[in-house]
Structures are given as C-alpha cells and as structure tokens.
Amino acid sequence: MAIAQTQNITTCRSNGGGSEVVLLDFWPSMFGMRVRIALAEKGIEYEYKEQDLANKSPLLLEMNPIHKKIPVLIHNGKPINESCIIVQYIDETWNDKSPLMPSDPYVRAQARFWADYVDKKVYETSKKIWTLKGEEQEKAKKEFIEILKVMEGQIGEKPYFMGESFGYADIALVTFYSWFYTFETLGNFSIEKECPKLIAWAKRCMQRESVSKTLPDSKKIYDFFIEMKTKLDL
C-alpha cells in the first residue's frame, strides 16, 4: 500500500497570533481534508505531518490515545480530535475572519445536523459500495444515491448548503467529492446523472481556492484505493 512517510510541510499562511498549530493527517482522508479546508479558509499557518497509518507514530498515539486515528489538530501542544469537532474548534478559535458556522442559532444547529448526517449516512453507505458485491452492492448503490438526493434536496437552489455562504456543512460533504470517481468506477454508476445539482454544488465549491488546493485529483485517489485493495487483498 502506498503510504507516504511522515513528513513536515509548513504552509505559507499567517496564523495571526504566533500560536503553534500542527496537523497529523493522511492525504487521501476525506476527514483530514475537512481540517485542511478550514485552516485554509482561515488563513492559518500550520505544520503538516503526514502519517503512516500502517505504522502509527508515537506522536499520533500520544495525541489520540482513544481512537488512534487521524486527523488530529495540535494547538499549542493540546490535541483536538474528530474532524467535525476540529473544524468547529478552528472556527471558534480564529473567529476574526471567514466564519464557517452560521450566526443564527437555529441555522447553526441545522448545519451541525447535516454534518452529522454526512458522517452517519454518506460515509457508512459509501463503504458498502467497495466492500459488497452483486445484489448487495446494487442495494448499497441505491441507498447511497438516495442519501445523496436527500443532501441535494437540502441544497435546493441555494449556492451552498445553508444559504449564500460556504461553511461548515459544505466542508463536511465536499471532501467526499474527491472519492466520487472511485465510488462510481467500483460501482459502475454515475452520481452526476442521478444528482446533477449536487455535482453542480461540488463544482461551485471547487472554485474556492481552499477546496481546489486541498482535494486530491480523483484518479489519484482511485489509484491509491486500488493499490490498497490489492495490498490488503480486499
């Protein structure tokens, strides 16, 4: 499996307060991409440490001893775990620019609901597309499309999930866009054919530098997945 060696990459953005920010991540992770987009939206300078998930680093195990997973944001030596929690933390800590959460309490609650929906529905169902075969895979594909159509219905005619502004709920889902080609190729179906407005939304998000510079090329993701699948004999 092609897993990059641990490396340090420092962005060329200002953190505005001189605080130390480190991100433990793995490049194909749609969850890690969420954090990278949020940091880019805020213009936060940080040190990126790529993790070898087959040989987890002592730092990762120390910073996330419960789940032992990426991403982990380390801010002034203190770890924050779980991607959606990290994005909220970033928004609350660097609240002087580019707000990610809606200001209205009700709309903010709705944004959290949809981010949670992505984690519980989109992610879990997408896994079935590449782990199941035959009729069970067909059933998983239909379930996946229905879930995406629910998300598409929430967007409606709005430019972004919660209205006119790109934010938290958009970040929660848009990182899956880089994996859509893999899902489609493995499942032999077209998401754009089934959910054209959702793909239009994703392309709109890709016009933002924070998103376009974060999401890897879809075919690079596919090549990674095939190599991983072969290595693990899935």
Side-chain angles (χ1 to χ4, degrees), residues 40-62:
E41 284 286 327
K42 295 288 186 175
I44 305 302
E45 180 181 319
Y46 64 99
E47 183 179 8
Y48 179 94
K49 293 190 175 184
E50 179 80 1
Q51 300 296 298
D52 181 345
L53 300 186
N55 184 25
K56 296 180 181 180
S57 70
L59 181 60
L60 175 59
L61 298 176
E62 177 188 354

Side-chain angles (χ1 to χ4, degrees), residues 57 61 148 180 194 197 202 215:
S57 70
L61 298 176
L148 293 183
F180 278 5
E194 300 287 346
K197 289 185 178 179
L215 268 59

Side-chain angles (χ1 to χ4, degrees), residues 77-92:
K78 298 178 180 178
I80 304 96
N81 302 311
E82 300 297 319
S83 63
C84 283
I85 293 173
I86 296 172
V87 171
Q88 292 181 63
Y89 177 86
I90 290 169
D91 194 44
E92 293 170 2

Side-chain angles (χ1 to χ4, degrees), residues 83-150:
S83 63
C84 283
I85 293 173
I86 296 172
V87 171
Q88 292 181 63
Y89 177 86
I90 290 169
D91 194 44
E92 293 170 2
T93 302
W94 292 278
N95 58 9
D96 58 331
K97 64 173 292 187
S98 302
L100 302 176
M101 296 295 286
S103 58
D104 180 85
Y106 176 77
V107 181
R108 190 160 61 245
Q110 291 301 301
R112 289 191 175 109
F113 170 85
W114 287 112
D116 184 64
Y117 185 87
V118 171
D119 282 350
K120 290 179 178 176
K121 294 289 188 177
V122 179
Y123 176 64
E124 291 301 327
T125 307
S126 68
K127 288 196 302 183
K128 296 178 184 178
I129 294 173
W130 57 268
T131 56
L132 301 176
K133 295 181 180 179
E135 290 184 7
E136 291 202 344
Q137 187 191 57
E138 289 299 316
K139 182 179 178 182
K141 282 161 48 178
K142 289 179 182 178
E143 182 182 358
F144 185 63
I145 289 297
E146 287 305 312
I147 290 168
L148 293 183
K149 285 183 177 180
V150 170

